[in-house]
């Protein structure tokens, strides 16, 4: 495999911070959580979430297309269209078989399960929608993006739980390095703001119990953290070999310099307490980028705000880095978008490198004395950065890490 430099030439975002990358970035800079009581979760123990504001799929995609797709795929299409336009690409003019789509999805769609299972449970199988399968099977996110954009190259979805979006970007990078494609449209998408996942995560004890104060519920690395807030969203990045981007006079927004992945092989949901799996993924990313720990200027943490994950991530960082770089954890603002989270955070890392500003972690009020991290909070921090690390972890012991550098 050749060691081509991989450029990020476009990005698109749909998050609880807003529709479009600029809106999300401005929301992140406020350092204020988007969590609020969610009427669709009324009656559940955790009845709040971080929803995308003002998302009207019919207006954005047209009535017929919006009707066919589930919510996560709708958001992915909007993000992908933004990313392709940002990259100055014309789908009508590109060489379609050389354009790949790689998306990360954690679960597939829960949006319609309750209704469809209700039809079966009430003895009315004839009422089950014929669209239930194509709306919900995970591969359709990538399939619908390809259909919408006319991308005929390698096309697949990867699922590594909450690391899915990060894994998708790493594997898209590998496709480009192997010259299996010239352009890769890659990222992640998910919506967890539905009753089934809300009930499941609550039963597992993974969600914050601060229903009386949703805006202060997610507090990564804080002493009083008690779980995450359900979120939704999508981020899509356009990746190209740097030489390919230069040949078409497309500026690079950043370079994807390193990728690493690992598995804890410790527990089916809990991370290895010593953070060894994540530390291994970070070391692999550093080796892949030809860098040392001293070269990383910023850490964009997985930071779920659960007691065990944050502690394990802290240990992983302190294992790899003699003195960890400034940390931010953006789920505190946007909620946890599961399969979309890693891609959203990678896109935010690109923006941080471009603007030379680290967005703050929301609700970091009382440092955990067991940790020793420089958590950016209260206000954005202007910082000279050349390289940043974005990390993700998920059920099954999945870990993934990306190193992004200034172009």
């Amino acid at each position: 495999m050749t060691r081509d430099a991989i450029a990020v030439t476009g990005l698109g975002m749909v998050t609880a911070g807003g529709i479009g990358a600029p809106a999300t970035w401005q929301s992140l800079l406020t350092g204020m959580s988007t969590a609020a009581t969610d009427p669709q979760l009324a009656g559940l123990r955790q009845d709040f979430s971080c929803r995308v504001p003002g998302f009207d799929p019919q207006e954005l995609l047209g009535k017929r297309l919006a009707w066919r797709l589930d919510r996560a795929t709708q958001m992915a299409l909007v993000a992908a269209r933004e990313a392709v336009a940002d990259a100055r690409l014309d789908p009508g003019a590109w060489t379609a078989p050389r354009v790949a789509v790689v998306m990360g999805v954690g679960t597939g769609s829960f949006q319609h399960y309750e209704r469809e299972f209700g039809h079966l449970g009430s003895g009315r199988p004839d009422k089950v929608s014929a669209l239930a399968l194509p709306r919900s099977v995970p591969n359709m996110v990538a399939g619908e993006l390809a259909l919408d954009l006319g991308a005929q190259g390698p096309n697949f979805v990867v699922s590594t739980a909450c690391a899915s979006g990060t894994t998708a970007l790493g594997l898209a990078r590998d496709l480009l390095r192997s010259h299996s494609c010239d352009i890769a449209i890659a990222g992640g998408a998910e919506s967890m703001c539905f009753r089934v996942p809300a009930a499941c995560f609550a039963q597992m004890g993974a969600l914050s119990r601060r229903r009386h104060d949703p805006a202060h519920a997610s507090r990564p690395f804080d002493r009083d953290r008690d779980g995450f807030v359900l979120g939704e969203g999508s981020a899509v990045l356009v990746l190209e070999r740097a030489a390919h981007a230069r040949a078409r006079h497309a500026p690079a927004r950043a370079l994807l310099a390193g990728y690493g992945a690992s598995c804890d092989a410790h527990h089916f949901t809990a991370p290895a307490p010593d953070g060894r799996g994540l530390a291994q993924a970070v070391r692999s990313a550093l080796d892949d980028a030809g860098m040392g720990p001293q070269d990383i200027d910023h850490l964009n943490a997985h930071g779920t705000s659960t007691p065990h994950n944050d502690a394990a991530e802290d240990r992983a960082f302190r294992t790899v880095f003699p003195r960890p770089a400034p940390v931010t954890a953006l789920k505190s603002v946007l909620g946890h978008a599961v399969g979309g989270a890693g891609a959203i955070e990678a896109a935010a890392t690109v923006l941080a490198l471009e603007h030379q500003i680290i967005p703050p972690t929301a609700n970091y009020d009382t440092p955990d004395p067991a940790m020793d991290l420089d958590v950016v909070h209260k206000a954005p921090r202007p910082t000279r950065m050349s390289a940043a690390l974005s990390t993700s972890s998920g059920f099954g012991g999945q870990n993934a890490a990306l190193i992004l550098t200034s172009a």
Side-chain angles (χ1 to χ4, degrees):
M1 184 178 292
T2 59
R3 304 287 293 181
D4 298 280
I6 304 302
V8 178
T9 55
L11 60 86
M13 303 176 77
V14 176
T15 73
I19 300 169
T24 294
W25 179 244
Q26 290 305 312
S27 178
L28 290 173
L29 292 180
T30 70
M32 298 174 62
S33 173
T34 59
T37 300
D38 187 338
Q40 294 197 38
L41 304 181
L44 300 182
R45 280 190 295 164
Q46 276 76 23
D47 59 356
F48 55 96
S49 71
C50 294
R51 279 191 173 271
V52 177
F55 185 75
D56 185 340
Q58 292 191 22
E59 179 183 342
L60 294 167
L61 299 171
K63 184 176 181 179
R64 185 171 182 81
L65 182 57
W67 169 77
R68 191 178 80 228
L69 306 177
D70 93 305
R71 186 171 175 87
T73 305
Q74 292 168 348
M75 293 186 290
L77 254 65
V78 173
R81 289 178 179 182
E82 180 189 9
V84 168
D86 183 50
R88 305 179 188 179
L89 286 166
D90 177 4
W94 63 27
T95 304
R98 299 295 297 169
V99 181
V101 178
V102 187
M103 292 294 289
V105 174
T107 63
S109 173
F110 280 105
Q111 182 174 359
H112 304 285
Y113 280 4
E114 188 174 5
R115 182 184 67 196
E116 306 302 347
F117 290 164
H119 291 324
L120 287 174
S122 62
R124 296 183 297 168
D126 56 306
K127 296 295 184 181
V128 174
S129 172
L131 290 176
L133 278 177
R135 279 176 175 156
S136 62
V137 291
N139 77 290
M140 290 305 295
V141 176
E144 290 286 3
L145 262 62
L147 183 63
D148 189 68
L149 298 170
Q152 298 174 3
N155 181 284
F156 55 92
V157 160
V158 297
S159 185
T160 52
C162 305
S164 298
T166 304
T167 306
L169 290 165
L171 294 181
R173 187 281 314 261
D174 288 347
L175 287 177
L176 288 161
R177 279 190 177 176
S178 67
H179 289 246
S180 298
C181 61
D182 295 324
I183 298 166
I185 299 164
E190 197 104 61
S191 179
M192 287 284 101
C193 302
F194 299 109
R195 299 178 71 81
V196 171
C200 290
F201 279 123
Q203 287 293 93
M204 296 177 69
L207 301 182
S208 172
R209 296 178 293 279
R210 289 184 175 83
R211 62 184 301 179
H212 63 287
D213 189 14
H216 295 93
S218 182
R219 45 186 59 239
F221 304 110
D222 188 87
R223 183 195 64 189
D224 300 321
R225 66 193 184 277
D226 72 335
F228 62 81
V229 176
L230 293 169
E232 63 178 0
S234 177
V236 174
L237 282 67
V238 175
L239 306 179
E240 304 175 58
R241 288 182 298 279
H244 184 273
R246 286 194 299 270
R248 65 180 192 86
H249 307 290
R253 301 190 67 160
L255 299 178
L256 203 172
Y259 167 64
S262 71
C263 182
D264 289 352
H266 166 74
H267 188 270
F268 65 102
T269 57
D274 59 3
R276 64 179 182 272
L278 181 58
Q280 178 182 327
V282 171
R283 288 193 184 103
S284 295
L286 287 168
D287 289 345
D288 184 49
M291 293 182 178
Q294 72 282 355
D295 297 317
I296 302 300
D297 304 307
H298 164 45
L299 306 177
N300 189 316
H302 185 57
T304 60
S305 184
T306 59
H308 295 305
N309 178 87
D310 289 6
E313 193 163 21
D314 164 72
R315 293 189 181 102
F317 287 156
R318 289 194 285 145
T319 296
V320 176
F321 301 98
R323 185 173 180 81
V327 176
T328 194
L330 303 181
K331 292 179 181 68
S332 62
V333 175
L334 303 177
H336 193 348
V338 187
I344 291 169
E345 288 152 18
T349 303
V350 170
L351 294 169
L353 287 165
E354 283 187 333
H355 294 282
Q356 295 287 284
I357 296 174
I358 300 174
T361 302
N363 304 320
Y364 184 75
D365 300 325
T366 308
D368 188 330
M371 300 183 186
D372 186 22
L373 294 176
D374 177 13
V375 178
V376 178
H377 63 292
K378 303 297 184 186
R381 184 185 297 181
T383 303
R384 293 184 64 182
M385 293 179 281
S386 296
L389 173 77
S390 185
T391 55
S392 297
S393 299
F395 287 177
Q398 304 281 0
N399 302 291
L402 296 172
I403 293 175
L404 293 146
T405 64
S406 297

